């Protein structure tokens, strides 16, 4: 959020990533209260994979080659 304006990140892209994170957390918390089983474990892994994919896609599309990104931003995880 703190670098979104500086990097010129599209509001919709940031919002979509936040929604993906919220969806992940809600589903993860639901899985956390269920008894462990192969299907629960597989569901959790699918969630993790989808979250990683969303983050990777966002980073590749909007941050990796962004000319406005500074070394300071990169060291802070942006």
């Amino acid at each position: 959020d703190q670098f979104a304006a500086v990097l010129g990140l599209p509001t919709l892209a940031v919002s979509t990533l936040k929604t993906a994170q919220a969806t992940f957390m809600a589903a993860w918390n639901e899985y956390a209260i269920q008894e462990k089983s192969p299907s629960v474990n597989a569901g959790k892994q699918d969630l993790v994979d989808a979250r990683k994919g969303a983050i990777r896609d966002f980073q590749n599309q909007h941050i990796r080659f962004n000319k406005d990104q500074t070394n300071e931003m990169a060291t802070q995880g942006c």
Side-chain angles (χ1 to χ4, degrees):
D1 275 347
Q2 69 185 28
F3 300 123
V6 174
L7 294 173
L9 301 180
T11 304
L12 180 58
V14 173
S15 177
T16 300
L17 187 61
K18 286 181 177 183
T19 299
Q21 176 65 13
T23 301
F24 168 83
M25 290 305 301
W28 186 265
N29 290 335
E30 185 62 33
Y31 277 121
I33 62 174
Q34 296 179 20
E35 290 187 37
K36 292 184 180 180
S37 70
S39 64
V40 168
N41 291 341
K44 286 170 74 174
Q45 188 59 52
D46 289 346
L47 279 175
V48 169
D49 292 345
R51 179 177 178 243
K52 284 180 182 178
I55 292 169
R56 186 181 318 107
D57 290 348
F58 182 88
Q59 199 268 346
N60 286 338
Q61 186 173 3
H62 300 290
I63 297 175
R64 176 171 278 165
F65 301 108
N66 192 313
K67 65 179 178 50
D68 296 321
Q69 183 183 34
T70 65
N71 287 336
E72 179 185 358
M73 289 177 189
T75 61
Q76 292 182 20
C78 177

